[in-house]
């Protein structure tokens, strides 16, 4: 018999002595499973995003083996299953297009199968939110095990950061500072071990968010992928999930509003990716927490950025782990009264503060003191105004302070193709004070909302030594990128947002202090231009992309599908049997 708080869900499949029980057990037995494995043991699903086409997650079979050892040791029975793997580096047009698809796969795989709980193996950017979204909609006990970051990249005797170095070297190449040979020679050195991007990009950010939310064991976010301690953590997580079944510790007890507030504050302290704004909203929506853009202002804005990691700072995830990792950051926040909800429950059954209050901190260059932060006024800047009535975001720690209050003339690109065609045209009427505006790259305009918002600067300005300009779009930006970049403008151009009405030469005002993004034309002029807009032809007529277009919500709503919001629970729908 199980000692669980409530009957095992898996017993609905394996626990009966009738025709159905016969069938469910019999087919499973073709894998060599003896009878006693079906007798009252928690069945633990290991939800695996392993794929050789998702290089960041290509080592996950080995992680799964260690999870299994832990599950078996604790008296559970592990079953590994694959789900759609949204790999950032290979998947076109953008992995974000399939985040919701992956979440549907996860949700239905959990609900339809005889599992009592799941271990979520996540790594590359979208896999973390996708798996948490799917599991949250089922509200089963779940624990996140991340694949871990790559070792530091190495090039010409120096450390280089995954993703960030690509942006930096490409700008240098365009400016004529390095040649093609040098540009290409960094490839192998950047990605020299298994794991995710080693900067504080979206993968590292979301791993930190999973830990700050309480859905993983402490230190899950930062242990390098090839460090043996990553596999110890996988083993311990496998042990822990079995107890979570016995305690009925479901995601709804962990993913509370308090947990999301902690995550928002932590995101500011680590200088995390703007993508977290979209993903946390989507996860919150699945579990019934009403997170709003204003929560990022109320809870996160003004929090000092303590973690000195690329792209905002200097170091990489290896140093972050050796310096003490996320528990050391949370301890530092808590000691200064900056952890909003210390008593929030986490996967190991302790509060977040109990897990972190004694966490050692070994290197104050990497995790800086509050008195000497990387950025005093960090967090995510939420902007509103007639150009973004439903909001836009900017990451201050990655921006140039002098540009965060700026007025400039718009140089307008109608879409990404137009941008690529004209940005390096020597005749382009642009100077360092111009504001680069790109339209039709939002959730519907460039389905999936590609990470193209950090538009590279015109080559002629790079050659003059210009290193940053204000850029505005409805796109997203890679977490490894940087610049004074306004992103996620909502409503997007393709949804009839005011961004679509911007014309060449318009004056635009950005004021991060006031949270304002303003197109300097009259309300009548703006309304007239919007009324005259011609929608671009829609080329997508079928397939998953059509489903996406028809149902994706705007960036401020997390880009989830409208019909996926909410927790539907783990009960199998009645009509299926
Ligand atoms: Fe996978 Fe960066 S491309 S984590």
């Amino acid at each position: 018999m199980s000692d669980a708080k409530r009957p095992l869900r898996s017993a609905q499949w394996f626990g009966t002595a009738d025709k159905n029980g016969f069938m469910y057990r019999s087919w499973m037995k073709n894998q060599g499973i003896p009878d006693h494995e079906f007798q009252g043991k928690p069945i633990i699903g290991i939800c695996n995003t392993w794929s050789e086409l998702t290089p960041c997650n290509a080592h996950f079979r080995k992680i799964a083996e260690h999870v299994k050892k832990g599950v078996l040791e604790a008296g559970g029975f592990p079953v590994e299953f694959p789900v759609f793997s949204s790999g950032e580096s290979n998947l076109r047009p953008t992995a974000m297009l399939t985040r919701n698809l992956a979440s549907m796969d996860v949700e239905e795989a959990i609900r339809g199968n005889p599992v009592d709980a799941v271990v979520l193996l996540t790594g590359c950017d979208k896999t973390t939110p996708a798996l948490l979204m799917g599991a949250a909609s089922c509200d089963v006990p779940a624990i996140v095990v991340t694949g871990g970051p790559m070792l530091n990249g190495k090039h010409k005797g120096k450390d280089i950061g995954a993703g960030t170095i690509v942006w930096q070297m490409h700008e240098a190449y365009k400016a004529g500072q390095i040649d093609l040979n040098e540009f290409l020679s960094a490839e192998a050195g950047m990605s020299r071990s298994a794991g995710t991007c080693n900067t504080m990009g979206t993968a590292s950010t979301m791993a930190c968010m999973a830990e700050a939310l309480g859905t993983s064991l402490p230190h899950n976010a930062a242990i390098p992928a090839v460090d043996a301690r990553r596999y110890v953590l996988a083993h311990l997580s496998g042990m822990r999930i079995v107890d979570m079944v016995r305690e009925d510790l479901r995601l709804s007890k962990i993913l509370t509003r308090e947990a999301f507030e902690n995550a928002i504050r932590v995101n500011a302290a680590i200088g995390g990716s703007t993508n977290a704004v979209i993903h946390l909203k989507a996860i919150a929506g699945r579990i019934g927490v009403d997170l709003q853009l204003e929560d990022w202002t109320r809870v996160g804005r003004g929090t000092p950025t303590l973690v000195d990691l690329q792209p905002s700072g200097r170091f990489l995830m290896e140093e972050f782990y050796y310096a003490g990792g996320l528990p050391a950051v949370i301890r530092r926040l808590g000691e200064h009264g900056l952890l909003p909800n210390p008593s929030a429950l986490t996967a190991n059954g302790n509060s977040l503060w109990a897990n972190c209050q004694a966490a050692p901190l070994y290197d104050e260059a990497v995790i800086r003191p509050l008195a000497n932060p990387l950025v005093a006024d960090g967090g995510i800047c939420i902007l509103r105004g007639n150009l973004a009535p439903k909001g836009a975001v900017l990451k201050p720690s990655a921006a140039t302070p002098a540009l965060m209050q700026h007025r400039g003339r718009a140089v307008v690109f109608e879409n990404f193709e137009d941008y690529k065609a004209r940005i390096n045209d020597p005749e382009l009427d642009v100077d360092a004070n111009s504001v680069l505006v790109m339209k039709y790259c939002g959730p519907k305009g460039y389905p999936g909302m590609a990470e193209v918002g950090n538009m590279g600067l015109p080559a002629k300005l790079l050659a003059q030594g210009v290193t940053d300009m204000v850029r505005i779009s409805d796109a997203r930006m890679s977490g490894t990128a940087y610049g004074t970049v306004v992103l996620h403008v909502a409503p997007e151009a393709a949804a009839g947002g005011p961004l679509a009405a911007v014309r060449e030469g318009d004056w635009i005002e950005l004021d991060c202090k006031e949270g304002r993004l303003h197109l300097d034309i009259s309300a009548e002029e703006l309304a007239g231009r919007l009324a005259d807009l011609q929608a671009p032809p829609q080329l997508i007529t079928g397939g998953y992309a059509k489903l996406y277009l028809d149902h994706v919500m705007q960036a401020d709503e997390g880009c989830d599908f409208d019909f996926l919001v909410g927790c539907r629970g783990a009960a199998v729908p009645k009509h299926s049997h």
Side-chain angles (χ1 to χ4, degrees), residues 56 88-89 124-125 196-197 203:
C56 311
E88 195 67 29
S89 58
C124 199
D125 300 15
T196 52
C197 291

Side-chain angles (χ1 to χ4, degrees), residues 482-501:
Y482 50 87
T484 310
V485 185
V486 176
L487 303 154
H488 309 181
V489 169
E492 63 176 312
L499 186 69

Side-chain angles (χ1 to χ4, degrees), residues 48-352:
N48 202 340
T49 49
W50 167 85
S51 166
E52 288 174 343
L53 288 168
T54 304
C56 311
N57 297 16
H59 58 301
F60 279 20
R61 305 298 300 278
K62 188 175 168 195
I63 290 184
E65 289 307 314
H66 286 266
V67 171
K68 285 180 186 173
K69 286 182 194 172
V71 171
L72 290 168
E73 185 183 338
F77 187 73
V79 283
E80 183 183 351
F81 63 95
V83 289
F84 189 92
S85 187
S86 297
E88 195 67 29
S89 58
N90 281 327
L91 206 55
R92 291 182 173 185
T94 164
M96 184 62 177
L97 181 66
T98 54
R99 184 201 65 177
N100 296 348
L101 177 66
S103 79
M104 292 163 76
D105 180 348
V106 172
E107 178 181 344
E108 299 307 326
I110 292 172
R111 186 177 297 114
N113 276 302
V115 293
D116 296 296
V118 281
V119 179
L120 307 175
L121 301 193
T122 72
C124 199
D125 300 15
K126 308 302 173 290
T127 56
T128 304
L131 269 55
L132 275 171
M133 288 160 70
S137 278
C138 294
D139 194 20
V140 291
I143 194 166
V144 171
V145 177
T146 301
M150 292 190 260
L151 296 177
N152 287 5
K154 297 284 179 184
H155 178 61
K156 295 175 97 177
K158 291 199 175 126
D159 285 347
I160 57 172
T164 303
I165 193 66
V166 181
W167 311 118
Q168 289 170 343
M169 290 186 76
H170 192 236
E171 299 281 79
Y173 172 58
K174 276 181 11 185
Q177 294 157 357
I178 60 171
D179 64 18
L180 187 60
N181 272 344
E182 170 154 14
F183 178 62
L184 296 178
S185 70
E187 273 178 24
M190 186 186 84
S191 309
R192 64 190 189 90
S193 85
T196 52
C197 291
N198 48 25
T199 45
M200 189 52 79
T202 305
S204 300
T205 298
M206 291 312 297
C208 289
M209 293 297 90
E211 189 172 329
L213 285 167
T215 57
S216 73
L217 294 185
H219 284 295
N220 174 65
I223 303 172
V226 295
D227 192 311
R229 288 168 285 190
R230 168 68 49 199
Y231 297 94
V232 172
L233 183 134
H235 185 117
L236 295 175
S237 300
M239 292 179 70
R240 177 60 196 152
I241 191 69
V242 178
D243 281 340
M244 288 171 75
V245 174
R246 293 174 176 141
E247 296 164 13
D248 193 28
L249 181 47
R250 285 172 283 127
L251 273 175
S252 57
K253 298 180 183 174
I254 293 174
L255 290 176
T256 58
R257 162 161 276 281
E258 289 73 23
F260 284 98
E261 290 179 350
N262 285 339
I264 288 172
R265 182 65 58 79
V266 167
N267 188 69
I270 62 174
S273 163
T274 46
N275 283 320
V277 180
I278 290 176
H279 297 321
L280 285 190
K281 170 71 182 175
I283 298 165
R286 296 297 188 96
I287 204 81
V289 172
D290 182 23
L291 207 61
Q292 295 294 328
L293 285 181
E294 276 57 40
D295 289 317
W296 289 83
T297 306
R298 183 177 58 80
V299 181
R301 192 75 180 97
T303 305
T305 300
L306 305 178
V307 178
D308 192 346
L309 251 62
Q310 296 181 31
S312 301
R314 296 173 291 168
F315 299 103
L316 296 168
M317 287 297 282
E318 241 191 291
E319 283 101 8
F320 183 45
Y321 178 55
Y322 304 148
L326 198 67
V329 177
I330 293 172
R331 176 181 178 176
R332 190 147 257 176
L333 289 174
E335 284 177 341
H336 290 82
L338 290 176
L339 187 62
N341 302 297
S343 60
L345 185 62
T346 75
N348 68 1
N350 297 330
S351 70
L352 188 63

Side-chain angles (χ1 to χ4, degrees), residues 14 27 77 131 138 179 231 291 380 393-394 433 459 467:
F14 299 136
W27 266 277
F77 187 73
L131 269 55
C138 294
D179 64 18
Y231 297 94
L291 207 61
I380 301 286
V393 305
L394 177 144
N433 287 318
T467 55

